[in-house]
């Protein structure tokens, strides 16, 4: 019996085959400006928005040197990277949603660099206050990366 999976299980050291060995992440706004960074437990920046506003943030994972992890597609094969998950946000203050790439969009090379890999968040300001969420990169039922700190969201 032949069993195939979304990643090559015999090649765990190669980040381009499904597993992401991340030591942090950055959140960038639509103009490509970094608004939040978590790297090896240290945090810089903040996520702030006004009631009624929607903030769209691209998520980029960082390697052990603090550089963005690049995902290269090989020979037109579909690259299967992990699924983003968020949890813990108080929806009465801010709604935090994972932006899923539409099927078929993954090979549309007209996207901006921030959107090439489909990793994004929508944060909607509901009422004044502060809440936080945990960010996870899930792959095959386990977390390849979980944020060390809760990401604090302030709504004015």
């Amino acid at each position: 019996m032949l069993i195939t999976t979304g990643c090559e299980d015999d090649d765990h050291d190669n980040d381009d085959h499904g597993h992401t060995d991340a030591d942090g992440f950055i959140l960038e706004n639509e103009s490509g400006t970094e608004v939040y960074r978590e790297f090896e437990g240290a945090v810089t920046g903040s996520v702030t928005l006004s009631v009624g506003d929607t903030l769209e943030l691209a998520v980029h994972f960082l390697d052990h040197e603090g550089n963005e992890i690049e995902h290269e597609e090989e020979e037109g094969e579909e690259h299967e990277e992990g699924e983003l998950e968020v949890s813990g946000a108080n929806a009465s203050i801010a709604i935090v949603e994972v932006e899923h790439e539409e099927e078929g969009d993954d090979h549309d090379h007209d996207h901006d660099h921030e959107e090439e890999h489909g990793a994004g968040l929508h944060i909607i300001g509901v009422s004044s206050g502060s809440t936080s969420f945990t960010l996870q990169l899930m792959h095959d039922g386990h977390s390849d990366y979980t944020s060390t700190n809760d990401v604090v969201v302030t709504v004015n």
Side-chain angles (χ1 to χ4, degrees):
M1 173 180 268
L2 176 64
I3 298 175
T4 60
T5 60
C7 64
E8 295 179 18
D9 292 332
D10 59 347
D11 193 6
H12 289 287
D13 294 332
N14 189 337
D15 295 310
D16 291 332
H17 292 289
H19 295 280
T20 303
D21 184 20
D23 288 314
F25 66 95
I26 58 175
L27 301 177
E28 290 180 347
N29 64 20
E30 291 175 285
S31 65
T33 302
E34 180 180 307
V35 297
Y36 183 92
R37 172 185 292 254
E38 176 183 291
F39 179 64
E40 295 180 339
V43 172
T44 57
S46 62
V47 178
T48 304
L49 69 161
S50 299
V51 173
D53 283 352
T54 299
L55 190 58
E56 294 188 27
L57 299 173
V59 180
H60 300 281
F61 288 93
L62 305 174
D63 65 17
H64 67 281
E65 294 176 358
N67 299 314
E68 180 180 338
I69 297 172
E70 298 291 337
H71 294 283
E72 297 177 10
E73 294 183 25
E74 295 179 14
E75 300 174 18
E77 291 180 8
E78 186 171 326
H79 176 73
E80 182 178 322
E81 68 181 50
E83 285 264 335
L84 274 182
E85 288 188 7
V86 294
S87 60
N90 181 342
S92 67
I93 295 173
I95 298 169
V96 182
E97 303 172 322
V98 174
E99 175 186 0
H100 293 285
E101 192 173 81
E102 295 295 322
E103 195 166 323
D105 282 353
D106 53 346
H107 294 292
D108 182 357
H109 297 291
D110 292 335
H111 284 314
D112 291 338
H113 177 73
E114 289 80 23
E115 297 177 29
E116 281 180 8
H117 304 297
L121 300 176
H122 288 191
I123 302 175
I124 303 165
V126 177
S127 64
S128 293
S130 181
T131 187
S132 62
F133 65 91
T134 300
L135 180 73
Q136 287 188 304
L137 180 64
M138 301 298 290
H139 184 262
D140 286 343
H142 68 274
S143 174
D144 276 358
Y145 180 81
T146 301
S147 57
T148 307
N149 302 283
D150 287 343
V151 179
V152 176
V153 176
T154 303
V155 181
N156 299 311

